[in-house]
Amino acid sequence: EEKIFSLKDVEEKINDTYKDRNTGELTISNIKILSRTGGGRVDKIQVGQSIYKGTEIRNALGLSSTMFSLGFAGDKIIITSNGYGHGVGMSQYGANGMGKEGKSYVEILTHYYTGIKVY
């Protein structure tokens, strides 16, 4: 999923959502991903003069996932999200699809929760 925002829109949405912090004036040089989780999701991101969790930016901007990348075009920010949800646990849609393919509950559980033993 690709969403395009103006720098001003991002600044306003984040400041409206997180009133305890302030981004200050947002420029393309002061918005950057600082760290990612082991699974590739955004962990920490600098937005202006403040640092946010990837989940906070996901919520403020209505992104489908914290697995996103940033691109820039003029004064626009292009955010490309991959996947849906928080990336933890079992996907209800994926599990349903596996069930429809004839996978057993043991196969489904061990697919999403690696290293477990089902008794």
Side-chain angles (χ1 to χ4, degrees):
E1 175 187 32
E2 186 176 278
K3 287 192 173 189
I4 301 173
F5 300 94
S6 71
L7 289 168
K8 197 74 181 153
D9 282 345
V10 170
E11 187 179 305
E12 288 174 359
K13 286 175 185 284
I14 293 172
N15 287 333
D16 286 348
T17 305
Y18 301 104
K19 297 182 187 317
D20 61 324
R21 288 170 276 176
N22 192 298
T23 64
E25 185 179 348
L26 192 58
T27 66
I28 60 171
S29 63
N30 66 11
I31 179 169
K32 56 186 158 233
I33 295 168
L34 300 175
S35 63
R36 291 188 179 271
T37 66
R41 295 174 181 280
V42 173
D43 180 39
K44 300 276 186 225
I45 180 170
Q46 177 183 338
V47 181
Q49 62 190 22
S50 296
I51 295 176
Y52 298 87
K53 294 178 185 173
T55 52
E56 291 174 320
I57 300 305
R58 174 189 175 207
N59 293 336
L61 300 181
L63 305 177
S64 62
S65 171
T66 55
M67 188 174 290
F68 62 83
S69 59
L70 304 174
F72 302 96
D75 71 335
K76 304 281 187 217
I77 300 173
I78 303 155
I79 301 179
T80 306
S81 302
N82 297 310
Y84 294 91
H86 46 65
V88 177
M90 182 172 14
S91 161
Q92 62 184 344
Y93 301 106
N96 187 44
M98 289 177 74
K100 287 180 178 177
E101 291 172 359
K103 302 287 186 198
S104 72
Y105 76 94
V106 173
E107 290 173 300
I108 295 168
L109 288 174
T110 56
H111 171 78
Y112 285 102
Y113 301 97
T114 57
I116 67 164
K117 201 170 257 194
V118 180
Y119 297 96

